[in-house]
Amino acid sequence: MYLNTHDLISHSQSAYRPSHCTETALLKVTNDILSALDGGDVSVLTLLDLSAAFDTIDHVTLLSRLQDLYGISGPALAWFESYLTNRTQAVLVDGQRSAPAPLVFGVPQGSVLGPVLFIMYTKPLSALIQNHSVSNQSFADDTQLYKPSSPAETHAAIQTIQTCILDVKSWMVENKLKLNDDKTEALLCMKKSTKFPNSQPSSVQVGNTDISFSSSARNLGFTISSDMTLNKHISNICRSAYFELRKIATIRHTLSVQTTNTLVCSLVLSKLDYCNSLLSGCPLYLLHKLQKVQNSAARLILKARKKDHVTPLRRTLHWLPIQARIEYKLSTLCFHFFSASSPAYFSELLTVYTPARQLRSSSDSRTLVIPHTKSKAYGQRTFAFCASTQWNSLPSHIRHSQSVQSFKRALKTHLFQKHNS
């Protein structure tokens, strides 16, 4: 793809790009926040919300940006102009259709090209944010701003965030976009034992709206808590998963094993696996809650009794347990890193080990540096620590697999033997 080949998309944008997803964006944000907490700092995190972002893009500005920022000109630019212009829309109510109205703003959301044009349109926003020394990660129109600081400098960090948001709002007004102040959320991520020299901050000012710091917020489908614990997120997963299992159980007598398995995988296991790399390093009692959900799912599919041992059931279904599924995800992300197919921001999180002098025992080129951490509750939950530790624990022949397909086959066999023995 032209944009990826020439590195024309902002590195902080994770939508509609190969090897990028909500999970990789969240890994970067949570890694940075956990690292800050491990060092005794706090982090101000704001989740910006746009109103009808795709529908308000100005065509004239977009075409100008395609030419100035991306070098698109001549027939190619004329093709984009033809694609965007002369579109109309109408409303159908009770069989009555309104007169067609011209569409002078917006990109088609149901198309492949529309979302890509949106992230091309908003590229300057990332540089504007970085000029304020504020970190950011975006997924389409969802933007996360965060800034770590010492407890003594938290008020200054909040002021920096507020100034940054004002500039973001101004840029959006100029570019026909609208920041929804009321739906913006903010968290002050800190340890429970954090002490502030003055009063503890309670809010962030977004435009004319005072946004109080929340104890938790939904971020790209993942619940982040201000103390960075995972209790609430895992409770939400379990509640939603059990709800689906109960619905499937009511019709289980009419379903075959294969059909039940398909339903469970799509409606239940998908919830357990979504962004599960962020669960690495969390307390075992929380993972046990998720494991109980998977155990219930296995018993439902195979019509097993509640007292039946679950390991043989997992073997029959060829399922990895929860801990192994997390290890599988971490290992796969690391393999993509060595294959140069991971997001650019992963290079800030993972470091290839290079020995000071060449020794026979240190000739493995696929070893990662395990960063030094201070605490198990924060530092040893960062992606940098967990991924490096998990990757280095794999047998050398797996780490040196020639393709992603052979790597995944060997990895699953290894984890299946390790966790289902």
Side-chain angles (χ1 to χ4, degrees):
M1 187 178 178
Y2 173 78
L3 297 176
N4 293 316
T5 301
H6 296 277
D7 196 24
L8 295 176
I9 299 296
S10 170
H11 290 173
S12 62
Q13 175 60 259
S14 294
Y16 320 118
R17 306 178 64 188
S19 304
H20 294 67
C21 60
T22 55
E23 186 164 15
T24 59
L26 286 167
L27 279 172
K28 178 66 170 72
V29 174
T30 56
N31 181 92
D32 293 350
I33 293 175
L34 287 169
S35 294
L37 294 181
D38 191 53
D41 290 339
V42 301
S43 290
V44 182
L45 171 65
T46 56
L47 311 176
L48 304 184
D49 181 82
L50 299 183
S51 297
F54 285 66
D55 299 330
T56 59
I57 289 177
D58 180 64
H59 294 166
V60 175
T61 303
L62 174 58
L63 291 169
S64 174
R65 200 153 286 164
L66 292 179
Q67 186 172 23
D68 297 340
L69 294 183
Y70 301 97
I72 299 173
S73 60
L77 187 64
W79 184 91
F80 277 106
E81 184 176 6
S82 174
Y83 175 78
L84 291 168
T85 57
N86 297 321
R87 289 181 177 272
T88 60
Q89 70 176 4
V91 178
L92 182 66
V93 179
D94 293 333
Q96 298 296 315
R97 186 186 299 272
S98 68
L103 285 174
V104 295
F105 296 98
V107 292
Q109 293 190 47
S111 66
V112 173
L113 190 57
V116 177
L117 290 174
F118 175 81
I119 64 175
M120 295 172 73
Y121 186 82
T122 56
K123 179 183 179 180
L125 192 57
S126 179
L128 183 150
I129 294 170
Q130 291 171 4
N131 287 339
H132 289 272
S133 299
V134 173
S135 300
N136 75 100
Q137 276 294 318
S138 298
F139 192 88
D141 59 337
D142 290 305
T143 302
Q144 308 166 69
L145 307 181
Y146 59 102
K147 185 172 180 61
S149 73
S150 66
E153 297 175 341
T154 304
H155 287 280
I158 292 174
Q159 183 61 52
T160 300
I161 289 276
Q162 291 176 162
T163 303
C164 178
I165 292 175
L166 283 176
D167 282 355
V168 168
K169 284 174 65 69
S170 298
W171 183 90
M172 288 183 175
V173 169
E174 292 174 4
N175 288 272
K176 309 296 191 298
L177 299 174
K178 185 179 185 299
L179 181 64
N180 193 331
D181 297 353
D182 294 336
K183 291 188 177 180
T184 295
E185 295 186 273
L187 286 85
L188 181 60
C189 301
M190 61 182 184
K191 299 178 182 178
K192 292 180 180 179
S193 59
T194 299
K195 297 187 184 303
F196 296 89
N198 300 311
S199 60
Q200 179 176 324
S202 60
S203 64
V204 169
Q205 192 76 23
V206 178
N208 296 321
T209 305
D210 198 46
I211 307 296
S212 298
F213 288 125
S214 303
S215 59
S216 64
R218 188 88 164 164
N219 186 12
L220 298 178
F222 191 93
T223 303
I224 292 184
S225 297
S226 59
D227 58 3
M228 295 305 289
T229 59
L230 295 165
N231 302 59
K232 187 164 186 177
H233 175 71
I234 289 178
S235 293
N236 290 341
I237 293 176
C238 292
R239 181 171 58 254
S240 178
Y242 279 127
F243 175 75
E244 299 294 347
L245 284 175
R246 286 193 295 271
K247 288 199 297 183
I248 297 172
T250 61
I251 58 171
R252 175 64 184 91
H253 63 284
T254 67
L255 305 175
S256 66
V257 170
Q258 183 178 358
T259 302
T260 309
N261 191 11
T262 300
L263 282 174
V264 167
C265 288
S266 62
L267 298 176
V268 180
L269 293 194
S270 61
K271 299 179 188 295
L272 303 182
D273 289 339
Y274 178 70
C275 291
N276 62 344
S277 61
L278 278 77
L279 306 182
S280 53
C282 79
L284 292 178
Y285 77 90
L286 290 177
L287 292 185
H288 181 65
K289 291 183 178 181
L290 298 178
Q291 189 58 61
K292 288 176 68 176
V293 175
Q294 191 194 51
N295 294 349
S296 297
R299 291 189 175 100
L300 176 62
I301 293 171
L302 299 175
K303 291 186 175 180
R305 296 172 301 177
K306 190 173 182 179
K307 293 184 179 179
D308 288 346
H309 192 49
V310 77
T311 301
L313 304 180
R314 284 204 307 264
R315 288 200 195 101
T316 300
L317 296 168
H318 212 67
W319 285 359
L320 291 172
I322 296 300
Q323 179 61 49
R325 297 169 93 90
I326 295 172
E327 293 173 5
Y328 182 91
K329 181 71 71 64
L330 289 173
S331 301
T332 303
L333 290 169
C334 289
F335 184 82
H336 287 310
F337 170 75
F338 280 102
S339 303
S341 59
S342 62
Y345 47 78
F346 269 26
S347 62
E348 302 172 22
L349 309 180
L350 302 175
T351 305
V352 179
Y353 174 69
T354 304
R357 56 194 181 96
Q358 290 297 324
L359 301 172
R360 184 180 302 175
S361 60
S362 60
S363 60
D364 190 344
S365 60
R366 289 201 169 185
T367 303
L368 292 170
V369 175
I370 299 176
H372 173 72
T373 62
K374 295 180 180 179
S375 67
K376 185 176 181 179
Y378 302 106
Q380 292 185 24
R381 282 180 48 214
T382 61
F383 174 70
F385 180 89
C386 293
S388 300
T389 302
Q390 169 58 27
W391 176 259
N392 291 351
S393 71
L394 295 177
S396 178
H397 74 276
I398 296 180
R399 287 185 278 125
H400 287 268
S401 298
Q402 296 301 306
S403 67
V404 66
Q405 291 80 11
S406 61
F407 170 78
K408 288 183 175 180
R409 283 196 300 269
L411 175 63
K412 186 168 184 180
T413 300
H414 168 71
L415 294 176
F416 198 83
Q417 292 172 347
K418 174 183 174 183
H419 289 275
N420 283 316
S421 57

